[in-house]
Amino acid sequence: MKEIRTADAPAAIGPYAQGYVSKGFVFTSGQIGVDPKTGEAPEGIEAQAEFSCRNVGAVLKAGGSDYDKVIKTTCFLADMKDFAAFNEVYAKYFTGKPARSCVAVKTLPKGLLCEIEAVAEE
């Protein structure tokens, strides 16, 4: 098992890793919609979804994978009213249409609007 670390995605804000590579698979931790350079979150679901997708991509890349190798994602939304707008952004990145779960949660870290985690082939 190899831990993934990259400065191109937000650092972990708790006792966990950005991701792991194990037995030919890449597992990302949930990636929130913040700019990894500033730690700041933009306003709105579209902008936060862009950063969530890019941050997942950075962890995948650091683990030797990419969006085209994603098998499964789990997406968390603070409000299901954002589902359609979130999907517009998500579809630009996950063009292979991996299996997915998308659920609404009560709150997300830093009061953000979305979070995405992924499992991919290495």
Side-chain angles (χ1 to χ4, degrees):
M1 196 165 72
K2 178 184 135 199
E3 184 176 346
I4 300 170
R5 293 182 186 170
T6 179
D8 294 328
I13 56 174
Y16 59 91
Q18 289 174 312
Y20 276 95
V21 178
S22 180
K23 299 183 182 188
F25 291 97
V26 177
F27 300 86
T28 75
S29 289
Q31 297 298 310
I32 54 178
V34 299
D35 182 335
K37 292 176 178 62
T38 66
E40 298 298 318
E43 291 291 323
I45 186 63
E46 293 90 349
Q48 288 186 23
E50 286 282 347
F51 273 112
S52 287
C53 290
R54 289 182 204 162
N55 293 337
V56 168
V59 176
L60 289 169
K61 182 178 178 183
S65 191
D66 60 41
Y67 297 107
D68 293 337
K69 295 180 180 180
V70 173
I71 299 164
K72 169 83 167 72
T73 63
T74 305
C75 305
F76 306 92
L77 299 176
D79 190 335
M80 272 299 171
K81 292 177 189 169
D82 290 332
F83 187 73
F86 174 82
N87 278 338
E88 288 287 322
V89 176
Y90 176 95
K92 295 188 306 185
Y93 291 89
F94 297 94
T95 58
K97 297 183 180 176
R100 181 179 99 169
S101 299
C102 187
V103 298
V105 295
K106 186 173 180 178
T107 57
L108 288 166
K110 298 187 175 190
L112 296 177
L113 303 173
C114 63
E115 182 172 352
I116 304 169
E117 64 183 31
V119 177
E121 291 181 321
E122 191 175 4

